[in-house]
Each structure stands twice: as C-alpha cells, then as structure tokens.
Amino acid sequence: VTKLLNLGRTNRLEVTVAKHSANDSVNRAERLADYWVFGGIYRPVHLDVTPPQFIERLAINALADGTFDMDTYVNGPGNADTVEAQIQTVDGTPVGNAFSAPLPHSASNPAKVQLKTTVASPRSWTAETPNLYYVEVRLKNGSKVVHRCLQRFGFRTMEVREGDGLYVNGCKVVLRGVNRHSFWPDSGRCLSAKVHRLDIETMKDMNVNAVRMS
C-alpha cells in the first residue's frame, strides 16, 4: 500500500508493507519453509515513472547465428501505432538498421508486438566471452516517441541434446556450478553490491560456470 504525502515544497512516498505476500507460493517458500524469516523491505525497490501508454516488458531470443526475435508488451491507453527497435553495441554504436512493427489499436492490454531482424556475424555470448549488446525499443505515435527503454542481451544458442548434454553455440558445456543463497551473516538478505561482487569473484576463482539461484 502506497500513498504520496505533500509536505510543503517536498513530496514523500509512504509505504505500508505487509509481512505476507499476495502470492501464496512466496509465503510457502519464504515464510513457512525458510528458517530465517524477515519483515520490512530487505531488497531493492524501484519506482518506475511511465507515460499512460508504455512498454511494459521485453522477451528477447537472440541466437548465435544473428537471428533476433523479440516480443514487446505494450500496456495502457494511448494512440501509439508503431514499435521500433535499434540494436547497438555497449558503447552506443548502431548495429544494422532500425526495424519496426505496427501496434494494433484493437489489441488488449498488454498488447504483444513481435519484432524480428538478423545481425551479420554478431559477437556471440559464452561464459568465457560474455559479449553483450543493447536494444533500444521505442513506442511511437507517428514520428513522436511516446516511450522508450533499453535492454541488454547477448547472442547465444543453448540446446539440450538428448542423451548427450548441454550445448552453447554448438559447443558442449560441462556445468561446474554451485547453489547460491542471497544471504550474508551481518545483514541477512540485505546484500550490497560489494557483497554480490565478492560472491561472484569467489565463484570465478573456483572456475564456476553455472549458478543455481536460491
């Protein structure tokens, strides 16, 4: 439960936190099955400010051969008619041309728009060479950009071959992994960026290439 309080020249967002989730599966996992139960806000919370019609989320499937397939989910009322995207390197250099698809006005919310393109000879992602790209997605009404978002991704093909194992970009991979709890002795589930990085560096020192999040 949230409310915005007007305190003269400043505003404060006041939040009332329920100890039990509206999702019963979360309660079973975190409040009934766990051995260390917390109250309050113990993980990051973000406030997103969007226009009435906005890009809610993206689902990207980018394969090692350069095939790029993305589902864009648009929510809210408005007059936007097009979803446009541009792939770029991590330093902002455009990769190929922008590509787009129409947004149906009769679609229910959230509306799903599929965008496809192909990138010639992309730098593929692996655990050893984690090459990444960005895609900027723009929700447009004519030439006017109504909303935009930026998503990071990598080109990689993962497949499980029956009786054989896991392959990434056509190469067989043997998983060497650990199970990691988001937990720290001094702060419980409240983890800083420094603690996260320490865990990651420790795993890399162990030559770990897979992590089961818990």
Side-chain angles (χ1 to χ4, degrees), residues 122-189:
R123 300 178 64 195
S124 60
W125 180 96
T126 69
E128 293 75 26
T129 58
N131 298 307
L132 293 173
Y133 291 80
Y134 281 105
V135 59
E136 183 184 55
V137 184
R138 301 180 281 263
L139 181 63
K140 301 178 72 173
N141 180 7
S143 60
K144 179 184 178 182
V145 176
V146 177
H147 186 224
R148 72 178 72 211
C149 66
L150 197 66
Q151 179 68 54
R152 191 171 60 175
F153 71 96
F155 286 96
R156 81 287 178 273
T157 299
M158 302 183 71
E159 57 180 323
V160 177
R161 299 182 184 177
E162 186 175 356
D164 192 357
L166 175 67
Y167 283 74
V168 177
N169 303 339
C171 298
K172 187 172 183 177
V173 174
V174 177
L175 296 181
R176 304 178 188 88
V178 295
N179 180 60
R180 178 183 181 243
H181 285 264
S182 295
F183 200 88
W184 196 248
D186 295 339
S187 58
R189 294 178 182 167

Side-chain angles (χ1 to χ4, degrees), residues 25-213:
S25 67
V26 173
N27 295 323
R28 292 197 302 269
E30 293 201 345
R31 307 208 70 83
L32 301 179
D34 207 348
Y35 51 85
W36 200 274
V37 179
F38 292 85
I41 299 175
Y42 51 81
R43 285 177 180 154
V45 176
H46 303 278
L47 182 65
D48 292 327
V49 179
T50 65
Q53 191 174 25
F54 62 99
I55 300 168
E56 183 178 272
R57 63 186 177 92
L58 307 173
I60 298 173
N61 185 24
L63 303 181
D65 64 0
T67 302
F68 181 92
D69 189 348
M70 177 176 67
D71 290 337
T72 302
Y73 293 85
V74 178
N75 211 336
N79 298 317
D81 51 27
T82 306
V83 177
E84 181 182 72
Q86 173 67 63
I87 296 174
Q88 53 190 248
T89 61
V90 291
D91 62 3
T93 302
V95 177
N97 298 319
F99 51 104
S100 62
L103 174 65
H105 287 292
S106 59
S108 59
N109 283 324
K112 184 177 79 171
V113 180
Q114 187 178 47
L115 285 83
K116 294 184 177 183
T117 191
T118 302
V119 172
S121 303
R123 300 178 64 195
S124 60
W125 180 96
T126 69
E128 293 75 26
T129 58
N131 298 307
L132 293 173
Y133 291 80
Y134 281 105
V135 59
E136 183 184 55
V137 184
R138 301 180 281 263
L139 181 63
K140 301 178 72 173
N141 180 7
S143 60
K144 179 184 178 182
V145 176
V146 177
H147 186 224
R148 72 178 72 211
C149 66
L150 197 66
Q151 179 68 54
R152 191 171 60 175
F153 71 96
F155 286 96
R156 81 287 178 273
T157 299
M158 302 183 71
E159 57 180 323
V160 177
R161 299 182 184 177
E162 186 175 356
D164 192 357
L166 175 67
Y167 283 74
V168 177
N169 303 339
C171 298
K172 187 172 183 177
V173 174
V174 177
L175 296 181
R176 304 178 188 88
V178 295
N179 180 60
R180 178 183 181 243
H181 285 264
S182 295
F183 200 88
W184 196 248
D186 295 339
S187 58
R189 294 178 182 167
C190 301
L191 301 187
S192 65
K194 182 179 179 181
V195 168
H196 282 302
R197 189 170 190 88
L198 175 61
D199 278 357
I200 293 168
E201 289 176 347
T202 301
M203 288 185 285
K204 292 295 288 184
D205 288 343
M206 297 164 59
N207 200 29
V208 161
N209 64 0
V211 183
R212 177 183 181 270
M213 305 304 294

